[in-house]
Structure formats: C-alpha cells, structure tokens
Amino acid sequence: MEPINRNRSILEIILCFSLMLFLTILINVFGSEGGLWIGVLSYWFPCAVIVLYILKAEKKPLSSFGLKRMKPRNILEGLGLGILMFIVQQIPLLIIGMDYSLLSMAPNAPYILMTTLYCFFCVGFAEELIFRGFLLQKTLDVCRIKWICVVINMILFYAIHWSSLPHGFGGFYSIAANVLILCIYYLSRKEKSLVPLMIGHGFYDTLVSVILPVFVYYFFR
C-alpha cells in the first residue's frame, strides 16, 4: 500500500469542495432558468470528475471509496436509514408544535415521479459519493480521529446547503443529525459500502419532499 500524502489529500478536499461550492452558486444564479437540468448537471458533473479521478489519476477501484455492487439487503438497510433520519428530523418539529398544514402539497403524478427519481439518482447518489465517499475518505487520510472527520464532513455538508436551509437551529440540526447517522452507519460497518447510504438519503429526501407533503394534504388540511 502506497503511503498517504496528507498534503495532497488536503488539496483534494479543497478542490472538491470548491467545485461543489461553485456549482451551488451556479444553481442559485441560474436554477430558475435551467430548471431541473441545472440541478441534474450540478450533481452528475462532480460525480463524473471524481470517478475519473479515482480510476485514472489514483488508479484505484471505485470500491475503495465505497461504490460497490448493490446487494438485496442494502435496500432494506437504506430504507431503514431513511426512516430513522426522517424520525430524528421530525422530533424537534413535533416538540415545538409545528403546523404541518404549511407543508401541504396536492398530489401531482409527474411531479412526484420526477422528484422521486431526482432524490434517489441525483441527490442521494451524488451527495453520498461526494461527501461520505470521497471527502470523508480524504479527511480520514489527513486525520485518523474519526469524530473529528465526521464533524468536518458535517460542516462541509452544511456549508453546501447553506442557501437552501433555514438559518437557525432547525436547519443545522437537520443536517447535523442526518450526517451523524450516515457517517456512524458507514464507519461502523465492516463492509464499507455507500449503497445503503445512497438509498437511505434518497428515500429520506423523498419522504420530506413528496410523501410528507401529500400526506399532510389529505389528513391535515
């Protein structure tokens, strides 16, 4: 095994995060004009860059960063993670007496289908490959203290979502809790596979963006 070049890993973290930050700004500026395709591009482009970098520059298999073949049990694991993330996120909202009627959304089949696909194949896949795969691994190369690496991952993930989250305890809590759940699960597993995390992340976003609003529409109007 070749020795780890920590300075190179730090540079890789900076470059990867800078690319994500640039694409986030791009979405904020041109998102309303480009619509869904700008969002898709902003997720798949950095994934393509990372995959090519791992394969061509580092000459490593994608499995070394957690991108492995999906197994049947990964689906159940992922759905469980998504439900856990959703429950943990909703706890403070229930405590403060959240008015769920504000989330109401009338069912729209094309929107539900497109949003669900977007949540799984763009958000879930890309963000886990980038943050829990590439960035977390590179951070572990720099610092072997796992809880510090998790905190750094949390901060980077929050920074990328800064513009789309409420700037207060609720927004930070949601990101922190979700990243903590995903990182703990990934780091505690003997088989370091991102597949359950990708499924869990996509399912969580679908619950928040589609299932919960439609449920509220029918039962809390």
Side-chain angles (χ1 to χ4, degrees):
M1 182 181 295
E2 63 180 281
I4 295 171
N5 187 325
R6 287 180 170 79
N7 290 335
R8 175 176 172 176
S9 295
I10 292 173
L11 179 60
E12 290 165 338
I13 292 170
I14 293 172
L15 291 175
C16 181
F17 180 75
S18 298
L19 175 61
M20 291 300 299
L21 189 60
F22 170 77
L23 292 173
T24 300
I25 295 172
L26 191 68
I27 291 177
N28 292 332
V29 174
F30 300 105
S32 59
E33 299 176 10
L36 182 63
W37 293 110
I38 288 292
V40 172
L41 178 63
S42 69
Y43 280 116
W44 279 95
F45 177 71
C47 285
V49 172
I50 287 175
V51 166
L52 289 174
Y53 182 79
I54 294 172
L55 294 175
K56 301 299 183 181
E58 298 198 334
K59 300 187 184 303
K60 294 179 179 179
L62 295 177
S63 59
S64 63
F65 287 84
L67 195 57
K68 300 181 179 181
R69 187 185 301 275
M70 185 176 70
K71 299 179 180 179
R73 70 169 184 268
N74 294 154
I75 299 175
L76 292 178
E77 293 168 349
L79 295 178
L81 279 173
I83 292 172
L84 176 61
M85 292 161 64
F86 180 77
I87 292 174
V88 171
Q89 186 211 44
Q90 295 305 310
I91 289 175
L93 299 181
L94 291 170
I95 292 175
I96 65 176
M98 168 74 175
D99 182 7
Y100 278 90
S101 63
L102 299 174
L103 304 176
S104 178
M105 180 186 74
N108 180 296
Y111 174 82
I112 290 174
L113 177 61
M114 292 301 296
T115 302
T116 300
L117 292 175
Y118 184 77
C119 287
F120 277 96
F121 294 103
C122 287
V123 183
F125 176 86
E127 290 190 349
E128 292 311 309
L129 175 61
I130 295 166
F131 285 92
R132 256 64 66 188
F134 188 79
L135 286 175
L136 181 60
Q137 183 59 58
K138 292 301 179 180
T139 309
L140 287 167
D141 288 344
V142 176
C143 175
R144 289 299 182 180
I145 303 176
K146 292 182 179 179
W147 72 265
I148 293 179
C149 295
V150 172
V151 170
I152 293 173
N153 198 264
M154 195 180 296
I155 293 171
L156 295 178
F157 199 63
Y158 181 73
I160 290 298
H161 291 81
W162 174 264
S163 61
S164 61
L165 287 172
H167 297 163
F169 173 77
F172 179 77
Y173 171 81
S174 176
I175 288 289
N178 290 345
V179 171
L180 191 61
I181 290 171
L182 293 167
C183 285
I184 288 177
Y185 184 84
Y186 181 73
L187 293 173
S188 65
R189 302 291 290 181
K190 183 178 180 180
E191 180 189 25
K192 295 293 187 289
S193 174
L194 290 173
V195 175
L197 278 64
M198 291 172 174
I199 295 173
H201 193 148
F203 185 49
Y204 163 78
D205 277 17
T206 301
L207 285 170
V208 173
S209 304
V210 176
I211 297 176
L212 178 61
V214 172
F215 178 83
V216 169
Y217 176 81
Y218 280 115
F219 295 101
F220 288 89
R221 285 188 296 172

